[in-house]
Amino acid sequence: MSPKSLKAPRGTRDFYPDEYRQREWLFDCFRRVAHRFAFEEVDAPMLEEADLFIRKAGEEIVDQLYHFEIHDHHLALRPEMTPSIARLVIARAGALRMPLRWFTITQNWRYERMQRGRKREHFQWNMDIWGEPGVAAEAELISALFSATDEMGLPRGTVRVRLNSRALLEESLRGGALRDRPEAFEPLCIVIDKLEKIGPESVLEQLTAPKGGIGLTEESAESVLALLGARDLDEAAAHVPDDSAALADLRRLFTLLDAYGVGDQVAFDASVVRGLAYYTGIVFEAFDAAGQLRSICGGGRYDRLSETLGGKAIPAVGFGFGDMVIAELLQDQNRMPELPRRVDDFVFALEEDQREEAIRLAARLRSGDRRVELALAGGRLKRALADANRIGANQIWMLGPDEAERRVVRVRDLLSGEEREEPLTE
Amino acid sequence: MSPKSLKAPRGTRDFYPDEYRQREWLFDCFRRVAHRFAFEEVDAPMLEEADLFIRKAGEEIVDQLYHFEIHDHHLALRPEMTPSIARLVIARAGALRMPLRWFTITQNWRYERMQRGRKREHFQWNMDIWGEPGVAAEAELISALFSATDEMGLPRGTVRVRLNSRALLEESLRGGALRDRPEAFEPLCIVIDKLEKIGPESVLEQLTAPKGGIGLTEESAESVLALLGARDLDEAAAHVPDDSAALADLRRLFTLLDAYGVGDQVAFDASVVRGLAYYTGIVFEAFDAAGQLRSICGGGRYDRLSETLGGKAIPAVGFGFGDMVIAELLQDQNRMPELPRRVDDFVFALEEDQREEAIRLAARLRSGDRRVELALAGGRLKRALADANRIGANQIWMLGPDEAERRVVRVRDLLSGEEREEPLTE
């Protein structure tokens, strides 16, 4: 067998016990918050029909799909959870109580070039609300996001949210430039999402390119770019109609965020559009206030996804919160807790003759729901003591021929060093 | 998009909230027991280099591999967890404290024909001990297995274990028939594992076939078959040398199992060899006593796997306990618990004017770690009450214009129907 098989595939992670405990601690933060918001956990297979993920808006996510054919099925590892959630909702839409609050903690896969804080798999906490068209749903989700960073012990101000509305963008297209071609709106957002990366001139070029499929007039494209420069809601107001519903939604959202006590952690940012094709309204992302890391969490409203997948129209909004960037931030901030192994008792038989007695003792301790490591072979007491200390056991229970004869067990408290004898009961 | 994409791929499962709660209940049973036995949880990527799983002993598991090439990498979804565990151990063998006790709860994939209680994915609880050559390790694992069925509320006697040793089989090969071709032992076990399915004549034929690679003499093959018919350890003794180490191990194992209090749930069965190529010594399987279902759990000793994968020799033993067959048994026995959704409070604002007040109330309740569903839109009180009842909330907190003006909230206990008013604090 080639040596490479002894490594995890490039871009993937093994979780040894220490790393697993950190992962579980993080997931427990997610779960506690989700339950506090009365969300229910669901899951779907990591392998889906590839069609579920294939969209035509030029997203990175589709290019980076792990997909393959097997016995005439075209399957893919999920790159994100939202399409699977949508599939579950659509399949039982008639029977599910709306609004529906679901969360997932799943591993997602993207075949991409490796960078800091980016691998080919990551775990992601998703929170989704289906069936509520109003921004009360967005406010609830953004509040949950901050509850999670609170739960992790991150001080307020460490993580901030910037948000925008794609609906604002749609309204700003003077003269309803895409009125007859709504399908061009998704690629338009994908292009705008690249603004920071490719610069305004390339964006302008792509927005007006007749062949690219978007084909805005120069004027419309300029108005889009002008909106992206707006620094607050009042500036944005200059680029949309007076009765702008998108603007009213944004103002209302900030009022609700204030009621949740998180309004001061959230700012309007006209340049945020997010890279997923299916968002239709409010979009937001959480990032570290120092601006050192990639985004921690991204989300938004996707009211048309259900219809795109062949279901009936159901409004929906959600976010995905990955495990990698937040872990970097927690490390940087010294907030990743020390999580030692927890063992109550270490049970040790000096000789094989005391093994059965040691087994009975360990079984008795375990039946009291204690965490008990039973030494599986005899040996030197000194070694056993070192072992018990190394795993962080609270007590060691020692059985030698002398103790067995006297029907007792010697118990040492490994913190205080105090020893006592206890009778061996049947 | 084709309608088939709205279904999970054939042979895979979605987990809606009710199903997810049952799954978590089962996993929690596994986890509690594993921690009680001082095992540590680990994880590895579901996608591995395909080489890790490809063996040459004719196992079903290799034929049923989900594997594919992507950018010149040959990858596979894991069909079982043991090779990944082995990979993790080998990679850090020098630094890991032995004996090492690890457990995993992972999803594994096999592309196979569907039957009752068999899908293309399942979750499996694995418990493995590395670094202990003696049967004390096997005894610890088999005891843990029964602790898990106890934890699920299954009465003793519902699940039983039958066990055997492949070493016994090796010793029974008169004249050391495979002494010069130890590599033929794995395919020999795979053939014997099919005894019940294909019958003794076909087994005899395959064991003696010169081309099949096993090529036993008729006499050796007959002695193997004779051993498989042994009904207890004394009968088995007639087929192995007087100083049989395998037999001594089996006798010792039963003594230890008695000390754990599970000896009466376990029986020797010479026909058990298990279908995985890498087992070398004790093998065992748990099954429902009524004999209605496929096996619940299978395990054994695999002392040579580490070397096969290119590591140093480390003795190891483990089991895999799937989530599907045990679920069938729990259903059949009416032991699958009812697990309703748990919500403490339902908070409802009659009108949009009371929304901010309702948000502040929900936030306050949640900060006390209560599970709170906040209604995201106003509406009729009757509908809200029905909703709160439907989700099983304990209390509903109601805010209308009258309450808001008087700075109170109306709280109804949904079990007793009693109502009270509480002041709205800032």
Side-chain angles (χ1 to χ4, degrees):
Chain A
M1 144 160 262
S2 68
K4 74 167 180 175
S5 308
L6 288 176
K7 287 193 193 143
R10 205 168 135 73
T12 71
R13 291 170 292 170
D14 290 325
F15 292 87
Y16 284 84
D18 290 351
E19 294 143 356
Y20 193 89
R21 279 193 292 270
Q22 289 201 333
R23 181 178 117 183
E24 280 309 287
W25 171 81
L26 188 66
F27 290 3
D28 282 347
C29 291
F30 294 153
R31 281 206 174 88
R32 274 197 303 277
V33 170
H35 287 304
R36 222 173 273 161
F37 279 75
F39 280 59
E40 295 187 279
E41 194 159 3
V42 298
D43 195 15
M46 189 186 287
L47 204 58
E48 293 268 15
E49 305 277 347
D51 275 1
L52 185 62
F53 304 113
I54 295 175
R55 296 180 291 262
K56 296 195 175 85
E59 295 164 303
E60 278 192 324
I61 206 167
V62 174
D63 300 334
Q64 297 167 344
L65 209 55
Y66 272 93
H67 63 111
F68 56 95
E69 303 248 350
I70 186 165
H71 300 278
D72 294 328
H73 292 279
H74 186 196
L75 301 175
L77 296 187
R78 65 167 163 250
E80 52 154 344
M81 197 60 193
T82 309
S84 298
I85 295 286
R87 185 173 63 64
L88 265 67
V89 172
I90 295 168
R92 296 199 187 165
L96 293 167
R97 171 184 166 263
M98 300 279 171
L100 172 143
R101 296 153 162 88
W102 278 357
F103 80 100
T104 53
I105 299 174
T106 62
Q107 192 174 25
N108 305 336
W109 295 78
R110 296 188 193 185
Y111 194 90
E112 59 190 336
R113 246 180 307 163
M114 245 90 63
Q115 303 165 18
R116 185 180 177 217
R118 180 171 279 202
K119 295 199 174 279
R120 289 183 180 156
E121 51 76 20
H122 73 158
F123 286 88
Q124 196 176 65
W125 174 40
N126 277 250
M127 294 270 282
D128 293 90
I129 297 177
W130 283 73
E132 174 51 50
V135 292
E138 278 89 338
E140 179 92 339
L141 289 176
I142 292 170
S143 160
L145 185 169
F146 283 109
S147 292
T149 56
D150 290 350
E151 194 73 15
M152 294 168 201
L154 286 169
R156 284 290 169 97
T158 322
V159 171
R160 297 182 60 78
V161 163
R162 47 187 163 221
L163 66 75
N164 187 18
S165 172
R166 284 195 180 178
L168 208 58
L169 199 60
E170 217 165 2
E171 288 177 353
S172 79
L173 290 165
R174 306 279 171 187
L178 293 185
R179 195 183 294 137
D180 302 328
R181 294 182 302 119
E183 71 282 0
F185 187 64
E186 291 188 6
L188 176 141
C189 291
I190 302 296
V191 168
I192 289 173
D193 185 49
K194 297 181 192 140
L195 177 62
E196 233 176 289
K197 214 159 150 190
I198 64 177
E201 294 204 2
S202 295
V203 167
L204 212 57
E205 202 174 296
Q206 292 190 32
L207 291 182
T208 53
K211 276 209 168 171
I214 303 176
L216 290 188
T217 61
E218 195 109 355
E219 194 200 349
S220 286
E222 296 275 10
S223 78
V224 165
L225 275 178
L227 172 65
L228 298 185
R231 279 167 305 180
D232 55 35
L233 287 179
D234 291 334
E235 279 192 29
H239 301 277
V240 292
D242 289 342
D243 60 348
S244 163
L247 199 62
D249 270 354
L250 280 164
R251 293 198 196 279
R252 177 71 181 151
L253 177 53
F254 275 99
T255 304
L256 299 184
L257 291 173
D258 281 337
Y260 278 106
V262 300
D264 58 341
Q265 312 290 312
V266 182
F268 170 72
D269 184 333
S271 73
V272 170
V273 292
R274 303 294 303 159
L276 289 171
Y278 49 64
Y279 289 132
T280 52
I282 303 280
V283 281
F284 56 92
E285 60 191 27
F287 60 101
D288 65 303
Q292 304 291 306
L293 308 169
R294 292 172 47 249
S295 83
I296 291 168
C297 167
R301 180 165 284 281
Y302 52 96
D303 286 349
R304 290 195 284 264
L305 182 60
S306 175
E307 279 170 293
T308 310
L309 294 177
K312 62 174 190 170
I314 311 174
V317 55
F319 70 67
F321 190 125
D323 71 331
M324 310 258 313
V325 182
I326 193 70
E328 283 185 76
L329 180 61
L330 287 161
Q331 298 286 7
D332 289 355
Q333 299 271 325
N334 280 318
R335 296 280 173 177
M336 190 65 97
E338 292 287 324
L339 300 162
R341 185 172 173 197
R342 196 168 75 64
V343 174
D344 296 310
D345 305 294
F346 186 89
V347 175
F348 176 68
L350 201 63
E351 296 168 357
E352 205 52 22
D353 277 352
Q354 293 95 50
R355 172 144 315 281
E356 289 164 71
E357 205 60 70
I359 285 174
R360 280 189 285 270
L361 174 60
R364 207 158 58 238
L365 291 168
R366 284 168 179 160
S367 71
D369 203 24
R370 299 174 68 86
R371 297 181 174 208
V372 182
E373 178 164 321
L374 171 64
L376 296 174
R380 297 191 2 254
L381 182 58
K382 205 174 151 183
R383 163 97 202 266
L385 275 165
D387 252 15
N389 272 308
R390 188 167 164 196
I391 64 168
N394 294 326
Q395 300 188 114
I396 179 168
W397 301 68
M398 298 167 285
L399 270 165
D402 170 59
E403 285 83 10
E405 203 186 12
R406 293 191 294 120
R407 306 289 307 144
V408 296
V409 55
R410 200 141 57 94
V411 193
R412 183 185 293 188
D413 182 310
L414 289 166
L415 254 183
S416 68
E418 275 170 43
E419 266 193 34
R420 64 181 195 278
E421 282 189 352
E422 291 208 5
L424 274 179
T425 49
E426 279 312 305
Chain B
M1 140 161 265
S2 68
K4 72 168 179 176
S5 308
L6 288 176
K7 287 195 190 143
R10 205 166 136 72
T12 70
R13 292 171 290 170
D14 290 326
F15 292 87
Y16 284 84
D18 290 350
E19 294 143 355
Y20 193 88
R21 279 193 292 269
Q22 289 202 333
R23 179 178 119 182
E24 280 309 287
W25 171 82
L26 188 66
F27 290 3
D28 282 346
C29 290
F30 294 154
R31 280 205 175 89
R32 275 197 302 277
V33 169
H35 287 305
R36 222 173 273 160
F37 279 74
F39 280 59
E40 296 185 277
E41 193 158 3
V42 298
D43 196 15
M46 189 186 288
L47 203 57
E48 294 268 14
E49 305 276 347
D51 275 1
L52 185 62
F53 304 113
I54 295 174
R55 297 181 291 262
K56 295 190 175 87
E59 294 165 305
E60 277 193 324
I61 206 167
V62 174
D63 301 334
Q64 296 167 344
L65 210 55
Y66 272 93
H67 63 111
F68 57 94
E69 303 248 349
I70 185 165
H71 299 280
D72 292 329
H73 292 280
H74 187 195
L75 301 174
L77 296 187
R78 66 169 163 250
E80 51 154 346
M81 196 60 192
T82 309
S84 298
I85 296 286
R87 185 173 64 64
L88 265 68
V89 173
I90 295 168
R92 297 198 185 168
L96 294 167
R97 171 182 166 265
M98 300 278 168
L100 174 143
R101 296 153 162 85
W102 279 356
F103 80 99
T104 52
I105 300 174
T106 61
Q107 192 174 27
N108 305 334
W109 295 78
R110 296 188 192 184
Y111 195 91
E112 58 192 335
R113 244 179 308 161
M114 245 90 62
Q115 303 164 18
R116 184 181 177 215
R118 179 171 280 202
K119 295 201 173 277
R120 289 182 179 156
E121 51 76 22
H122 74 157
F123 286 88
Q124 195 176 64
W125 174 39
N126 276 249
M127 293 270 282
D128 292 272
I129 297 177
W130 284 72
E132 174 51 49
V135 292
E138 279 88 339
E140 181 92 340
L141 289 176
I142 292 169
S143 160
L145 184 169
F146 283 108
S147 292
T149 55
D150 290 350
E151 195 74 15
M152 294 167 203
L154 286 169
R156 283 291 169 97
T158 321
V159 171
R160 297 182 59 79
V161 163
R162 46 188 164 221
L163 67 76
N164 187 19
S165 171
R166 284 194 181 179
L168 207 59
L169 199 60
E170 217 164 2
E171 288 177 352
S172 79
L173 292 165
R174 308 281 173 186
L178 292 185
R179 195 183 293 137
D180 303 327
R181 293 182 301 119
E183 72 282 1
F185 187 65
E186 290 189 6
L188 176 141
C189 291
I190 302 295
V191 168
I192 289 174
D193 184 51
K194 296 180 192 143
L195 177 61
E196 230 176 289
K197 213 159 150 190
I198 64 177
E201 294 202 4
S202 295
V203 167
L204 212 58
E205 202 174 297
Q206 292 190 29
L207 291 182
T208 53
K211 276 206 167 170
I214 304 175
L216 291 188
T217 62
E218 195 106 355
E219 195 198 348
S220 286
E222 296 277 8
S223 77
V224 165
L225 275 179
L227 172 66
L228 298 185
R231 279 167 305 181
D232 56 36
L233 286 179
D234 292 333
E235 279 192 29
H239 301 278
V240 292
D242 289 343
D243 60 350
S244 162
L247 199 62
D249 271 356
L250 280 164
R251 293 200 195 277
R252 178 71 182 151
L253 177 53
F254 275 100
T255 304
L256 299 183
L257 290 172
D258 281 337
Y260 278 106
V262 300
D264 58 340
Q265 312 290 313
V266 183
F268 170 73
D269 184 333
S271 72
V272 171
V273 292
R274 302 297 300 161
L276 289 169
Y278 49 64
Y279 289 132
T280 54
I282 304 280
V283 281
F284 57 91
E285 59 189 30
F287 59 100
D288 66 302
Q292 304 291 307
L293 308 170
R294 292 173 49 249
S295 84
I296 291 168
C297 166
R301 181 165 282 282
Y302 52 98
D303 286 349
R304 290 195 284 265
L305 182 60
S306 175
E307 280 171 292
T308 311
L309 294 178
K312 62 173 190 170
I314 311 173
V317 55
F319 69 66
F321 190 126
D323 70 332
M324 310 255 314
V325 182
I326 194 70
E328 283 184 77
L329 181 61
L330 286 162
Q331 299 285 9
D332 288 353
Q333 298 272 324
N334 280 318
R335 296 281 173 176
M336 192 64 97
E338 292 286 323
L339 300 162
R341 184 171 175 199
R342 197 169 74 63
V343 174
D344 296 311
D345 305 295
F346 186 92
V347 175
F348 175 70
L350 201 64
E351 296 168 359
E352 204 54 21
D353 277 350
Q354 294 95 50
R355 172 145 314 282
E356 290 164 71
E357 205 60 70
I359 285 175
R360 280 189 285 270
L361 173 62
R364 207 158 59 237
L365 292 168
R366 284 169 179 160
S367 71
D369 203 24
R370 300 173 68 86
R371 298 180 174 208
V372 182
E373 178 163 322
L374 171 64
L376 296 174
R380 297 196 355 258
L381 182 59
K382 203 173 154 187
R383 163 97 201 264
L385 276 166
D387 252 15
N389 272 309
R390 186 166 164 197
I391 65 167
N394 294 325
Q395 299 188 116
I396 181 168
W397 302 66
M398 297 166 286
L399 270 165
D402 170 59
E403 286 83 10
E405 203 186 12
R406 292 190 295 121
R407 304 291 305 143
V408 296
V409 54
R410 201 142 55 96
V411 193
R412 182 185 295 189
D413 183 308
L414 289 167
L415 255 182
S416 69
E418 276 170 43
E419 267 193 33
R420 64 181 195 278
E421 282 188 353
E422 291 208 5
L424 274 178
T425 50
E426 278 312 304

